[in-house]
Amino acid sequence: MFNKIQSISSGYVKCHKAVALHPHRSHLRIAFSLLRKGMADSKPGMRKPVFIKVDQLRPGTSGHTLTVKVVSSKMVLQKGRPDGSQARQMRIAECLVGDETGVVIFTARNEQVDLMKPDTTIILRNAKIDMFKGSMRLAVDKWGRVEVTDAADFTVKEDSNLSLPLVELACVVRLYPMILVVSSG
């Protein structure tokens, strides 16, 4: 009955083709659903997060998990109705966060702004690095998470700011053709 299914990897495709060719055969539909359920059960579990330090952040990277302390927080944009309805309100704050290796500016949005109080320890999950006017900014979008945790026992190294504008030096070299005159005489 199920001789068309030979293995999970190749059987999925073969069974799918058989169901498409013979939709009236219920045993093929049953085999297809069992195979699909078996493949869904074989998915690997969630992997453990790997915590990194601020000095390991690089431009254009994402998927970072790190524990930081909030050094300062400054509201840069607040739009919405004055009555305070949360439906159309948008808030953005620039927060200086860091650990024992350095600091970086974190762009907090909407609900994240309420969590970013000075001296609070925060875990940022699935954070990414955006570039804004030549400087690195840490951000957590809808796929990430910002959560308050117990106070960390490290001292923030504020003299190593990764968000200072990066200046790329371009070396321009002009080569002028040299005329060499050799005279014999």
Side-chain angles (χ1 to χ4, degrees):
M1 178 169 151
F2 298 111
N3 58 358
K4 292 191 184 236
I5 303 172
Q6 295 172 357
S7 70
I8 293 291
S9 60
S10 64
Y12 182 80
V13 175
K14 290 180 181 178
C15 189
H16 183 37
K17 287 180 181 176
V19 170
L21 292 174
H22 307 286
H24 59 282
R25 295 190 179 171
S26 61
H27 66 279
L28 291 176
R29 277 186 262 123
I30 292 169
F32 185 62
S33 65
L34 289 173
L35 184 60
R36 188 173 33 203
K37 184 177 186 297
M39 290 183 78
D41 292 343
S42 67
K43 286 183 183 176
M46 293 182 65
R47 59 187 171 114
K48 290 191 173 199
V50 177
F51 284 81
I52 65 165
K53 299 293 182 185
V54 170
D55 67 346
Q56 295 173 309
L57 297 172
R58 298 290 175 257
T61 57
S62 62
H64 304 298
T65 302
L66 55 161
T67 303
V68 293
K69 278 187 186 177
V70 180
V71 177
S72 64
S73 179
K74 181 178 85 173
M75 185 75 69
V76 293
L77 178 70
Q78 186 164 5
K79 284 186 178 179
R81 296 184 180 173
D83 62 0
S85 67
Q86 295 292 327
R88 299 190 93 125
Q89 199 170 31
M90 185 170 88
R91 298 179 295 161
I92 298 177
E94 288 184 347
C95 312
L96 190 64
V97 299
D99 59 14
E100 65 270 14
T101 64
V103 292
V104 66
I105 293 176
F106 173 71
T107 305
R109 300 177 187 278
N110 301 326
E111 300 86 23
Q112 297 172 355
V113 174
D114 299 328
L115 303 174
M116 305 307 285
K117 307 229 182 304
D119 296 323
T120 305
T121 303
I122 304 287
I123 296 178
L124 304 173
R125 298 185 189 276
N126 202 18
K128 63 180 181 174
I129 296 291
D130 292 326
M131 295 301 290
F132 178 72
K133 294 184 180 177
S135 69
M136 290 190 343
R137 304 294 172 103
L138 191 61
V140 174
D141 59 11
K142 66 180 180 177
W143 305 110
R145 190 174 193 177
V146 178
E147 51 192 48
V148 178
T149 187
D150 297 332
D153 60 350
F154 56 79
T155 305
V156 177
K157 183 179 179 182
E158 293 185 47
D159 58 344
S160 178
N161 190 343
L162 271 67
S163 291
L164 292 176
L166 299 174
V167 178
E168 292 184 17
L169 298 176
C171 186
V172 178
V173 178
R174 287 191 176 182
L175 297 175
Y176 292 100
M178 296 180 68
I179 301 172
L180 184 63
V181 177
V182 178
S183 63
S184 61

